[in-house]
């Protein structure tokens, strides 16, 4: 499918962590970005994006919209051939997962995609899903064909009571594929990133990625970190994946976007050579039995079931489709983590 880069593109969640880096790339490419947000008149919320516009050949236009208000995105979609739907909550500590995670993820996706079906200019939608829609716990890898997660796998182990965030991403993506099959004038391409790290456009954020890095560097994990298996990808590589998925003719289906198979302890260890002498980077691995014993008391959202099914169990993801189709060349993990950590230092967030 040929996409006209002279047409505007719409990015939901433009003030967020992943979307901010994507907006930067789109503006640098000279594109016009339609950015629907809940409070477009809030200058504090958008000034970092306006600053990007001033340094690039692109243009950004803000619209008022609410993820849960039907039809509120239609004005921003007008004239757009590409829609990037990145807006979805990423929080772990929730009091009401149905209201805070499930409803915004699922109803927001329904709102965006149903509206797109009424806007004749829309040709392709890029949905930011997650590897959380592919698996719920690391033990799920035993259910895969070759002990490696691929785009053909789906999360069947999460629920509202267990791994609610992963459940929300699964339901939202399944909703997107269902709506896609009900229409015929736009394509759906889904990106499934693993854990996203790396410097953002706006470091003062509540993104869970920043919270994890702060805990690695502020002493929270000084006693040690567990080998909690996970994938990791640089936010800039993820933005590139969005760009390629939007404009490459042959892009199609789902894509695992993950540069590295790693774990929480090894993520922390990438920072030791440069920062270990100045910051309380965890240097010890917490034994699984100890985390199982004390984890639920330290974090009420960390259940013993989660610990049993994820700690000391490797995470393996197959990123070959993203390399082949989208031409991705993933950054080294050490570069991602050190540049991310340095951003927190530079902005006095540690």
């Amino acid at each position: 499918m040929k996409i006209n880069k002279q047409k505007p593109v719409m990015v939901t969640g433009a003030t967020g962590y992943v979307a901010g880096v994507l907006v930067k790339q789109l503006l640098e490419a000279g594109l016009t970005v339609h950015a629907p947000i809940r409070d477009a008149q809030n200058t504090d919320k958008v000034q970092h994006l306006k600053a990007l516009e001033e340094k690039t050949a692109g243009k950004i236009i803000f619209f008022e919209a609410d993820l849960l208000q039907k039809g509120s995105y239609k004005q921003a979609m007008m004239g757009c051939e590409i829609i990037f739907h990145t807006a979805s909550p990423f929080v772990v500590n929730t009091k009401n997962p149905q209201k805070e995670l499930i409803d915004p993820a699922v109803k927001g996706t329904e709102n965006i995609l149903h509206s797109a079906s009424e806007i004749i200019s829309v040709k392709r939608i890029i949905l930011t899903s997650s590897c959380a829609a592919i698996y719920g716990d690391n033990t799920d890898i035993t259910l895969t064909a070759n002990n490696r997660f691929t785009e053909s796998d789906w999360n069947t182990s999460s629920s509202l009571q267990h791994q609610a965030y992963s459940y929300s991403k699964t339901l939202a993506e399944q909703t997107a594929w269902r709506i896609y099959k009900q229409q015929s004038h736009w394509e759906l391409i889904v990106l499934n990133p693993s854990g996203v790290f790396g410097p953002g456009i706006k470091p003062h954020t509540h993104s869970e990625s920043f919270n994890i890095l702060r805990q690695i560097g502020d002493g929270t994990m000084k006693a040690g970190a567990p080998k909690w298996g996970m994938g990791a990808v640089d936010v800039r590589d993820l933005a590139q994946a969005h760009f390629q998925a939007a404009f490459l003719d042959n892009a199609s289906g789902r894509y695992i976007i993950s540069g590295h198979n790693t774990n929480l302890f090894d993520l922390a260890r990438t920072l030791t050579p440069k920062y270990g002498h100045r910051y309380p980077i965890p240097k010890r691995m917490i034994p699984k039995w100890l985390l199982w014993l004390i984890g639920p008391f330290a974090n009420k959202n960390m259940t013993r079931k989660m610990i049993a099914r994820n700690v000391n169990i490797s995470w393996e993801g197959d990123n070959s489709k993203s390399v082949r189709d989208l031409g991705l060349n993933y950054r080294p993990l050490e570069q991602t983590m050190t540049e991310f950590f340095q951003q927190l230092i530079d902005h006095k967030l540690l």
Side-chain angles (χ1 to χ4, degrees), residues 299-315:
N299 184 341
K300 64 180 180 179
N301 289 284
M302 183 187 295
T303 66
R304 290 196 168 110
K305 181 178 178 180
M306 290 171 60
I307 294 167
R309 293 174 60 86
N310 290 280
V311 176
N312 292 355
I313 301 171
S314 297
W315 188 93

Side-chain angles (χ1 to χ4, degrees), residues 216-231:
I216 288 175
D218 67 5
T220 302
M221 297 186 188
K222 184 178 181 180
K227 281 202 167 185
W228 192 303
M230 64 174 64

Side-chain angles (χ1 to χ4, degrees), residues 27-313:
L27 292 175
E28 289 174 343
L31 276 73
T32 296
V33 177
H34 286 186
I37 61 175
R38 190 158 46 186
D39 186 6
Q41 304 306 315
N42 186 337
T43 55
D44 290 338
K45 194 173 182 179
V46 302
Q47 63 182 5
H48 65 293
L49 297 176
K50 294 295 290 183
L52 286 177
E53 179 190 42
E54 295 172 1
K55 300 175 184 178
T56 64
K59 183 178 181 181
I60 188 166
I61 304 172
F62 296 99
F63 297 80
E64 291 277 349
D66 189 316
L67 200 59
L68 299 183
Q69 183 179 338
K70 292 182 179 180
S72 65
Y73 284 81
K74 287 184 179 179
Q75 184 182 3
M77 289 181 186
M78 292 294 183
C80 296
E81 292 187 352
I82 295 291
I83 292 174
F84 297 97
H85 180 35
T86 74
S88 187
F90 178 23
V91 290
V92 174
N93 299 318
T94 59
K95 295 181 179 178
N96 187 336
Q98 181 69 44
K99 182 179 180 180
E100 297 176 53
L101 291 172
I102 308 298
D103 289 348
V106 175
K107 293 180 181 179
T109 297
E110 290 176 337
N111 184 12
I112 297 296
L113 271 59
H114 281 312
S115 292
S117 296
E118 299 177 19
I119 306 298
I120 195 63
S121 63
V122 176
K123 292 184 176 180
R124 181 177 280 182
I125 297 176
I126 315 301
L127 173 70
T128 311
S129 183
S130 171
C131 278
I134 287 176
Y135 83 109
D137 295 297
N138 291 339
T139 51
D140 294 351
I141 204 164
T142 61
L143 305 175
T144 64
N146 297 299
N147 285 321
R148 175 172 286 195
F149 295 113
T150 71
E151 288 83 0
S152 64
D153 296 311
W154 280 92
N155 179 353
T156 59
S157 63
S158 296
S159 66
L160 193 60
Q161 293 75 34
H162 176 68
Q163 301 280 36
Y165 167 74
S166 299
Y167 187 52
S168 75
K169 299 303 291 187
T170 306
L171 293 180
E173 187 183 338
Q174 289 173 340
T175 297
W177 285 115
R178 174 177 53 80
I179 296 173
Y180 161 70
K181 292 174 182 176
Q182 296 171 350
Q183 57 78 56
S184 59
H185 88 258
W186 48 262
E187 295 179 339
L188 177 64
I189 299 173
V190 175
L191 303 185
N192 299 86
S194 58
V196 184
F197 299 92
I201 302 303
K202 185 181 180 182
H204 297 272
T205 177
H206 298 293
S207 167
E208 199 65 33
S209 300
F210 281 82
N211 291 337
I212 291 172
L213 200 68
R214 276 193 287 265
Q215 291 173 24
I216 288 175
D218 67 5
T220 302
M221 297 186 188
K222 184 178 181 180
K227 281 202 167 185
W228 192 303
M230 64 174 64
V233 62
D234 192 293
V235 66
R236 294 163 292 187
D237 293 336
L238 178 54
Q240 178 67 13
H242 280 79
F243 191 92
Q244 297 291 81
F247 299 111
L248 287 178
D249 293 347
N250 66 325
S252 64
R254 303 174 96 192
Y255 289 94
I256 287 179
I257 309 297
S258 183
H260 308 278
N261 302 319
T262 184
N263 60 70
L264 185 58
F265 178 60
D266 286 346
L267 275 179
R269 288 205 302 175
T270 63
L271 300 171
T272 301
K274 186 172 182 179
Y275 302 104
H277 63 293
R278 288 189 291 152
Y279 293 89
I281 309 295
K283 298 178 176 61
R284 301 181 185 88
M285 180 188 71
I286 291 184
K288 185 172 183 173
W289 67 266
L290 181 58
L291 188 66
W292 188 90
L293 187 65
I294 67 172
F297 296 101
N299 184 341
K300 64 180 180 179
N301 289 284
M302 183 187 295
T303 66
R304 290 196 168 110
K305 181 178 178 180
M306 290 171 60
I307 294 167
R309 293 174 60 86
N310 290 280
V311 176
N312 292 355
I313 301 171

